[in-house]
């Protein structure tokens, strides 16, 4: 874990966040506006990280970054069709949507050319698209051998992708008797260990179409992939399992909490509760970055402990100190965004950009093998 001493949390957020997409002309109400505590901005500044956040409800991927020129937190929106799972590593940014996986690559040479000069330190350019069909992609992660693993919620399995198939099933819970597009157990979360899938979460140990809905309040479970064994039962809508700092963490979304698992004793410990449906989790040093959703008043979310506990729920990204469970800061969306799915940290990336598919700069940005680059005139090389 990185040695980092976070600032003390604020008691109240500052005025609305000016975003990169704000117009310079007559100010208009921003339907995607957010507010944040000054400590949230200070955390991004001190750690030198930025965040990638997905909201399928608003159809956006959001780059959350600290702008040193204005000393504000900047929320930069890109439009996608139902973006949910996000997988990142040193050079790749991958997004799972309603029936599509979008692949992006970081090109530092393009970042250096973006205006204003010297501000951007990463530029993610689209590279390819894989069409999966509507499999309700939830969490995703890159393995140590370079394979992208997806939680295929509609078919209740973990899968990978290749050029010949919509998806390639690799694993499913032992209680599922068929590979059917029926969302039988709502498999949703994936944790990697040693570069391989190790843990998953599901909302029910059920084998009928949508069967998990009957006991969603406390029918959730956490499983180990290699052994196909159930480690924890009785969870309230678990999401986002993660192995970090030699510990197993997960979000108990129905409680609005982050928890630490004690699989040896079949138990778990709540670390912190928050004012929203917790979903989307990543870490930096002793900090947990957690997505919160308001959750709709619908049959899906009725009867869960969070809804019983709070009549007013919030949406945004909360920062929690894992050492004592304190909330250190937050970014809250005021309107337009009500649900968050994924939160991913971009370490050592302070101010990234994502180019859209119709961006003219894609016509003139080329990535070549080193041996081919040697044949390019030196004045044209970057």
């Amino acid at each position: 874990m990185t040695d980092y001493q976070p600032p003390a949390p604020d008691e109240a957020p500052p005025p609305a966040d000016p975003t990169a997409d704000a117009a310079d002309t007559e100010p208009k109400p921003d339907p995607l506006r957010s507010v944040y505590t000054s400590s949230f901005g200070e955390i991004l500044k001190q750690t030198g990280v930025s965040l990638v956040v997905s909201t399928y409800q608003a159809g956006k991927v959001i780059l959350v970054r600290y702008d040193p020129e204005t000393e504000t937190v900047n929320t930069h929106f890109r439009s996608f069709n139902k973006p949910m799972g996000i997988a990142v590593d040193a050079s790749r940014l991958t997004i799972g949507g309603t029936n599509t996986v979008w692949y992006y690559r970081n090109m530092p040479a393009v970042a250096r050319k973006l205006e204003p000069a010297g501000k951007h330190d990463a530029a993610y350019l689209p590279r390819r698209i894989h069409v999966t069909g509507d499999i309700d992609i939830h969490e995703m992660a890159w393995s140590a051998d370079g394979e992208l693993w997806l939680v295929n919620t509609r078919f209740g399995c973990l899968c990978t992708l290749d050029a010949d198939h919509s998806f390639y099933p690799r694993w499913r819970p032992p209680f599922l008797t068929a590979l059917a597009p029926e969302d039988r157990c709502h498999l949703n979360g994936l944790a990697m260990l040693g570069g391989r899938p190790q843990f998953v979460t599901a909302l029910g140990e059920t084998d009928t179409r949508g069967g998990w809905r009957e006991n969603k309040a406390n029918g959730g479970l956490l499983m180990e992939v290699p052994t196909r064994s159930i480690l924890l039962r009785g969870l309230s809508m678990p999401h986002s399992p993660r192995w970090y700092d030699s510990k197993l963490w997960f979000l108990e979304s129905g409680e609005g909490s982050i928890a630490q698992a004690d699989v040896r004793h079949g138990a778990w410990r709540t670390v912190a509760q928050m004012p929203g449906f917790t979903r989307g989790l990543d870490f930096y040093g002793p900090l947990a970055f957690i997505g919160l959703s308001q959750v709709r008043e619908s049959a899906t979310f009725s009867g869960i402990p969070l809804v019983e506990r709070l009549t007013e729920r919030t949406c945004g990204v909360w920062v929690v100190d894992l050492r004592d469970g304190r909330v250190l800061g937050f970014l809250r969306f005021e309107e337009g965004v009500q649900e968050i799915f994924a939160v991913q940290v971009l370490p050592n990336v302070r101010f990234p950009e994502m180019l859209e598919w119709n961006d003219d700069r894609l016509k003139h940005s080329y990535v070549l093998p080193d041996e081919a680059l040697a044949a390019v005139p030196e004045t044209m090389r970057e």
Side-chain angles (χ1 to χ4, degrees):
M1 295 172 65
T2 302
D3 184 16
Y4 169 69
Q5 294 298 325
D10 302 273
E11 294 184 357
D17 163 33
T19 72
D21 301 319
D24 294 328
T25 57
E26 185 71 21
K28 299 178 181 178
D30 185 355
L32 300 171
R33 68 190 182 93
S34 60
V35 297
Y36 57 89
T37 61
S38 60
S39 60
F40 185 90
E42 191 63 23
I43 287 168
L44 295 185
K45 177 182 178 182
Q46 287 191 27
T47 58
V49 307
S50 54
L51 307 176
V52 188
V53 177
S54 65
T55 164
Y56 60 92
Q57 163 264 325
K60 305 290 183 184
V61 168
I62 310 166
L63 298 179
V64 181
R65 52 200 188 176
Y66 179 78
D67 187 340
E69 294 181 1
T70 59
E71 297 185 339
T72 59
V73 174
N74 176 277
T75 49
H76 192 50
F77 295 84
R78 289 289 180 246
S79 296
F80 289 85
N81 187 8
K82 195 185 174 183
M84 293 182 69
I86 298 175
V88 299
D89 63 10
S91 60
R92 293 175 292 195
L93 169 58
T94 315
I95 301 162
T98 182
N99 64 348
T100 308
V101 177
W102 297 279
Y103 293 81
Y104 284 73
R105 281 276 183 171
N106 182 20
M107 291 184 63
V110 174
R112 289 192 287 270
K113 295 181 178 181
L114 297 176
E115 296 293 337
K119 186 169 186 175
H120 298 82
D121 54 356
Y124 293 93
L125 275 63
R127 273 289 167 257
R128 59 191 175 98
I129 298 174
H130 183 99
V131 178
T132 60
D134 186 1
I135 62 174
D136 198 14
I137 298 169
H138 276 55
E139 292 200 321
M140 310 191 306
W142 287 101
S143 68
D145 56 5
E147 278 196 298
L148 182 67
W149 285 75
L150 292 75
V151 177
N152 180 335
T153 300
R154 190 171 297 279
F155 284 83
C157 69
L158 298 181
C159 65
T160 54
L161 304 177
D162 61 47
D164 297 322
H165 307 97
S166 299
F167 61 90
Y168 199 102
R170 301 287 291 272
W171 181 93
R172 73 175 190 264
F175 53 80
L176 291 189
T177 58
L179 186 70
E182 297 179 338
D183 187 15
R184 295 185 176 191
C185 67
H186 205 76
L187 193 71
N188 57 31
L190 172 62
M192 308 293 278
L193 177 60
R196 300 292 299 171
Q198 186 70 24
F199 305 103
V200 293
T201 48
L203 300 194
E205 192 179 348
T206 47
D207 192 32
T208 58
R209 179 187 292 270
W212 60 272
R213 297 176 184 273
E214 295 179 8
N215 189 27
K216 60 182 178 293
N218 56 15
L221 56 146
L222 185 145
M223 297 186 65
E224 189 171 48
V225 173
T227 64
R228 306 181 80 203
S229 59
I230 296 175
L231 303 178
L232 298 178
R233 286 185 171 92
L235 301 173
S236 183
M237 304 191 80
H239 271 274
S240 312
R242 301 287 185 267
W243 183 263
Y244 181 73
D245 192 32
S246 301
K247 301 178 184 70
L248 179 56
W249 311 83
F250 65 93
L251 300 177
E252 200 173 7
S253 307
E255 296 279 0
S257 67
I258 178 174
Q260 183 182 326
D262 179 3
V263 295
R264 180 176 299 179
H265 298 97
W268 63 95
R269 175 180 66 89
T270 298
V271 176
Q273 275 194 321
M274 280 146 283
F277 185 87
T278 47
R279 182 174 49 196
L281 172 65
D282 207 355
F283 304 94
Y284 187 87
L287 307 180
F289 293 84
I290 303 169
L292 268 64
S293 298
Q294 291 177 343
V295 299
R296 303 172 297 261
E297 297 294 341
S298 66
T300 301
F301 298 106
S302 62
I304 63 174
L306 174 69
V307 174
E308 301 293 328
R309 176 167 62 91
L310 295 174
T311 55
E312 294 291 331
R313 298 168 297 277
T314 193
C315 176
V317 179
W318 259 237
V319 186
V320 169
D321 191 324
L322 295 173
R323 296 168 293 191
D324 55 18
R326 286 185 304 141
V327 173
L328 301 177
F330 60 82
L331 178 144
R332 185 179 70 235
F333 291 102
E334 295 288 272
E335 53 184 308
V337 179
Q338 284 87 42
E339 296 191 32
I340 299 295
F341 184 81
V343 176
Q344 290 282 293
V345 171
L346 293 176
N348 305 312
V349 176
R350 292 180 177 271
F351 206 85
E353 174 62 285
M354 285 182 72
L355 269 62
E356 297 187 287
W357 292 84
N358 60 354
D359 194 301
D360 194 60
R361 287 167 290 194
L362 295 179
K363 299 176 184 177
H364 312 293
S365 299
Y366 311 96
V367 180
L368 301 176
D370 290 342
E371 58 270 22
L373 195 61
V376 174
E378 189 171 351
T379 55
M380 297 181 180
R381 298 180 206 165
E382 180 63 47

